[in-house]
Amino acid sequence: MAPPPKFTGASAAFGTLPVLKEERELGFLDHSWINIGLAIATWAFLLGGSTALVVGARDGIYAIIIGNVIGVSIMAVSVCISTGKFGIEQFTLMRSVFGPTGILILVGFFLAIYGVGWSAVLSIMFGRAISGVMNQVGGTHIGENDLGVTLFAILAIAISWLLLWKGPTAVKWLNRFVGPGKLILCFSILFLIFSHKSWSDISNAAPLAPFDDHRINFMIAVEFNLAAGFGWWPVLGNISRFTRSPRAALWPNLIGIFAAAVLGELVGLFAALSLGSHDPTAWMIPLGGAFVGVTALLFVGLANITAIVSIFYGMCLAMRQAGGRYFEALPWGVLTGALFLPVIVIAFFPGQIYDNFFKFLAWTALGFAPLSGVTAVDYLVLRRGRIKQCDVFNDSADSDYAFWRGINPASFVALAGGGLVYYALFNPQSLAAHGPFIWVSASVPACVIAALLHYVLTRTVVMPARLGGY
Amino acid sequence: MTITSASPDNEMRRELNRRLNIIADPNYADPARTDISSREIGIWFAVTTFILVVSIAMWIGGN
C-alpha cells in the first residue's frame, strides 16, 4: 500500500479538514477532561457572581442547575452529534444549514460580537486582577475603572495576540498548568469561604442587587444560566469532532460541561454572597490574604490569557474558513490583529462592559438559543443525520447547500423569529421581563419557536424548491 | 490558504480530496461515523429531564 502523500500545508496549524479515524484522539474520558478544563474557568466565577446579583445561595443553586442542564442538553445535541460523526469543522458543517454565504454572515457578525465581547470581559478582568496585585505589592491605588485597568487589559490583548499569531501550540503547554490550577483554585476558594463563614451565613446572605419580585429574580437567574449553557454552541463542536464514538461525543458534555460549570458557578455564587461583590478579582485578597490573594490574582490573569486565546483561535479559524477567498489573502497575524482592535476600544470602558457582563450574557442567549434549536432540528429531524460531505466544501452553485445565492433564508427567518420571541419575553438590556417569562424563561421558547419555524419553512419552501439536499 | 480557495491546485484542496476519497470508500470503517441511536438520544434527554425535574421539585419544596 502506498504511503499517503506528505501534507505540509497551513491546515496542519489551522486544522479545518475532516478528521480521519487515526486522528480521532478523544475517548470518553479525554473528552470529559477537556470539557471540565473548559467549564471550570474564570468565566464560571463571573457567572456565579452574576447569579448572586439577583438571588441568594439556595435559589442560586437551583437556578444554576436548572439553567445549565436545559441549555447544555439542547446545545450538545445540536452541535456535538453532527461534528462528532463527520469530523468536520463546525462552521464548515453548518453550511448545510445556513449556506456558504449565510455562514459567513453568521460568523462575521454574530460570532465576532461573541468573541470580541467575551475577550473584552476577560481582558478587563485581567486588568483588574493585575491592578489588584499592583495595589497590594507596589502600593499603587489603581481604581477598578481607572486607566491603569485599561492599560493592563490592553497588555492582556497584546500577549494574547502574540500567542495566537506566533504559536497557538504554546497555549496547549500553558493549559497543562492552567487546567489543574483552575481546579485547585476552585477548591481553595471553597475551602477559604467555608473556613471564614458558616453555611447559614452564606445561605442567609441577601442577593447583591435584586429586583422587587422574588419570582422574576429567580427566573432571571435561571435565564443567566440558560445563556451560559447555550453559550457553548460555538465552542464545543470543534472539540467533539475529534471523538472516537457518538457516545464519546455526547455524554462528556453532561459530565464535563454541565457538572464542572455548575461547580465553578457555585464557587462564584458563594464567594459573591460571602464577600458582597460579584467581581472575582475583588475576592482573592480578602479571602486569602496578601500572599495567597496575589498568587491567585496572578493565576486568574494567566488563566484569562489562555481563555482569550482559545476563544479567538476558534473564532479566527471559523472566519478564515467561512470567509474563503475573501479572507485567504489576509495573513494570519493581520486577521487576528484586526479582530483584536475592537477589543482594545472596548477595554477603555471597563465599568460599562465588565460590570454589565450579565447583560452581554443575555444578549448572547438571544442568538445562541435559536441557533441551537435550528441546528438541532435541521440535523436530527429534517436530515436524519445525513449530510453530503463533498458539498459542504463546494462553493459553486451546483452544491446541495448553495440554497439561494449561498443563503438559506429559512434558517435566518427562524433565527430572527426566535430572537424576537426572546426579546418580547425578556429585554437583555433593561432585564425587563414580560408575559410568561416567569414560567418559561426566554431562551427556551426562543429555541423552540426557532426550531419550529425552521422545520415548517424548510418543509414548505426549501424542500419543494429541491434545495438544501433534504 | 483555505479549502474554498479559488486556486484549483492548492495543497489543502488536494488533501481534502484525499480525505474525502478515504471516507467515501465503502470499506472505510470508523466507529465515530456510526449514527447515534434514537434510544441513546432518548436516554440523554431522560437523564437531563430527571435532573431538571428533581431540581424544580426540590426548589418548589423549599419554598
Side-chain angles (χ1 to χ4, degrees), chain A residues 423-469:
Chain A
Y423 196 84
L425 291 170
F426 184 59
N427 183 331
Q429 194 58 35
S430 64
L431 305 188
H434 306 286
F437 173 81
I438 57 166
W439 302 109
V440 293
S441 79
S443 287
V444 173
C447 174
V448 172
I449 294 295
L452 282 174
L453 269 176
H454 184 63
Y455 179 82
V456 170
L457 288 171
T458 302
R459 284 274 182 194
T460 56
V461 180
V462 183
M463 288 167 80
R466 297 184 180 280
L467 293 171

Side-chain angles (χ1 to χ4, degrees), chain A residues 90-109:
Chain A
Q90 180 176 341
F91 294 92
T92 306
L93 196 65
M94 292 300 163
R95 288 169 160 224
S96 61
V97 187
F98 301 98
T101 308
I103 202 68
L104 177 60
I105 294 167
L106 199 73
V107 167
F109 176 70

Side-chain angles (χ1 to χ4, degrees), chain A residues 228-279:
Chain A
F230 282 117
W232 291 105
W233 189 90
V235 179
L236 295 186
N238 281 334
I239 299 170
S240 57
R241 78 187 182 108
F242 291 101
T243 52
R244 292 192 192 120
S245 69
R247 190 164 287 170
L250 183 63
W251 288 92
N253 294 298
L254 195 63
I255 299 163
I257 295 296
F258 166 71
V262 166
L263 172 67
E265 287 187 44
L266 288 181
V267 171
L269 173 74
F270 297 154
L273 290 170
S274 305
L275 298 162
S277 168
H278 72 283
D279 179 2

Side-chain angles (χ1 to χ4, degrees), chain A residues 4-5 7-9 11 16-18 20-21 23-24 58-59 62 65-66 70 73 77 81 85-86 95 218 243-244 246-247 250-251 254 320-321 324 328 386 389 393 395, chain B residues 1-6 11-13 15-16 18-20 22-23 28-36 40-41 43-45 47-48 51-52 55-56 58-59 61-63:
Chain A
F7 179 52
T8 59
S11 69
T16 54
L17 297 171
L20 299 176
K21 183 172 62 177
E23 293 164 331
R24 293 183 181 269
R58 202 182 156 280
D59 281 354
Y62 294 120
I65 295 173
I66 291 168
I70 296 174
S73 66
V77 163
I81 294 176
K85 177 179 175 184
F86 293 102
R95 288 169 160 224
F218 180 72
T243 52
R244 292 192 192 120
R247 190 164 287 170
L250 183 63
W251 288 92
L254 195 63
R320 198 179 177 93
Q321 196 52 47
E328 78 174 11
R386 299 283 172 268
Q389 293 166 78
F393 294 103
D395 263 357
Chain B
M1 192 158 280
T2 63
I3 290 164
T4 51
S5 168
E11 192 182 14
M12 280 186 74
R13 173 56 71 176
E15 177 63 14
L16 171 66
R18 184 182 79 83
R19 286 168 183 248
L20 290 176
I22 291 172
I23 291 164
Y28 180 66
D30 179 355
R33 289 183 168 267
T34 53
D35 280 316
I36 192 165
E40 185 103 18
I41 296 177
I43 294 171
W44 166 264
F45 279 116
V47 170
T48 55
I51 297 170
L52 175 67
S55 304
I56 292 172
M58 289 175 72
W59 178 70
N63 282 309

Side-chain angles (χ1 to χ4, degrees), chain A residues 6-311:
Chain A
K6 192 180 176 193
F7 179 52
T8 59
S11 69
F14 299 156
T16 54
L17 297 171
V19 293
L20 299 176
K21 183 172 62 177
E22 58 273 20
E23 293 164 331
R24 293 183 181 269
E25 296 175 342
L26 302 181
F28 195 100
L29 270 180
D30 304 315
H31 192 197
S32 300
W33 276 115
I34 287 180
N35 282 353
I36 288 170
L38 267 176
I40 296 190
T42 47
W43 46 50
F45 300 156
L46 269 174
L47 288 161
S50 297
T51 303
L53 287 171
V54 285
V55 289
R58 202 182 156 280
D59 281 354
I61 292 170
Y62 294 120
I64 286 170
I65 295 173
I66 291 168
N68 274 290
V69 79
I70 296 174
V72 170
S73 66
I74 299 172
M75 176 281 311
V77 163
S78 77
V79 289
C80 295
I81 294 176
S82 56
T83 52
K85 177 179 175 184
F86 293 102
I88 294 175
E89 190 271 329
Q90 180 176 341
F91 294 92
T92 306
L93 196 65
M94 292 300 163
R95 288 169 160 224
S96 61
V97 187
F98 301 98
T101 308
I103 202 68
L104 177 60
I105 294 167
L106 199 73
V107 167
F109 176 70
F110 193 69
L111 193 64
I113 292 174
Y114 169 84
V116 166
W118 262 113
S119 303
V121 168
L122 293 171
S123 60
I124 293 166
M125 191 176 177
F126 175 96
R128 286 199 179 174
I130 302 303
S131 299
V133 172
M134 293 298 291
N135 289 347
Q136 190 67 35
V137 177
T140 56
H141 300 282
I142 303 170
E144 58 185 17
N145 294 325
D146 285 357
L147 184 63
V149 171
T150 298
L151 294 177
F152 284 125
I154 292 172
L155 175 68
I157 295 163
I159 296 170
S160 305
W161 177 59
L162 278 174
L163 280 171
L164 198 57
W165 181 23
K166 292 296 181 187
T169 47
V171 176
K172 285 185 189 170
W173 185 83
L174 268 179
N175 268 333
R176 289 180 188 170
F177 301 96
V178 172
K182 286 187 289 194
L183 264 178
I184 294 169
L185 181 66
C186 231
F187 286 109
S188 303
I189 292 175
L190 263 187
F191 172 78
L192 289 168
I193 291 169
F194 283 101
S195 60
H196 286 91
K197 305 259 183 182
S198 67
W199 169 245
S200 65
D201 290 338
I202 295 169
S203 62
N204 289 328
L208 307 179
F211 294 96
D212 294 334
D213 188 328
H214 171 73
R215 289 180 307 170
I216 284 184
N217 284 327
F218 180 72
M219 196 47 89
I220 288 176
V222 171
E223 187 57 51
F224 286 163
N225 287 280
L226 280 165
F230 282 117
W232 291 105
W233 189 90
V235 179
L236 295 186
N238 281 334
I239 299 170
S240 57
R241 78 187 182 108
F242 291 101
T243 52
R244 292 192 192 120
S245 69
R247 190 164 287 170
L250 183 63
W251 288 92
N253 294 298
L254 195 63
I255 299 163
I257 295 296
F258 166 71
V262 166
L263 172 67
E265 287 187 44
L266 288 181
V267 171
L269 173 74
F270 297 154
L273 290 170
S274 305
L275 298 162
S277 168
H278 72 283
D279 179 2
T281 62
W283 305 337
M284 306 303 173
I285 290 172
L287 265 179
F291 179 74
V292 174
V294 165
T295 309
L297 282 175
L298 285 171
F299 180 77
V300 165
L302 183 66
N304 280 10
I305 295 273
T306 61
I308 293 170
V309 174
S310 300
I311 290 173

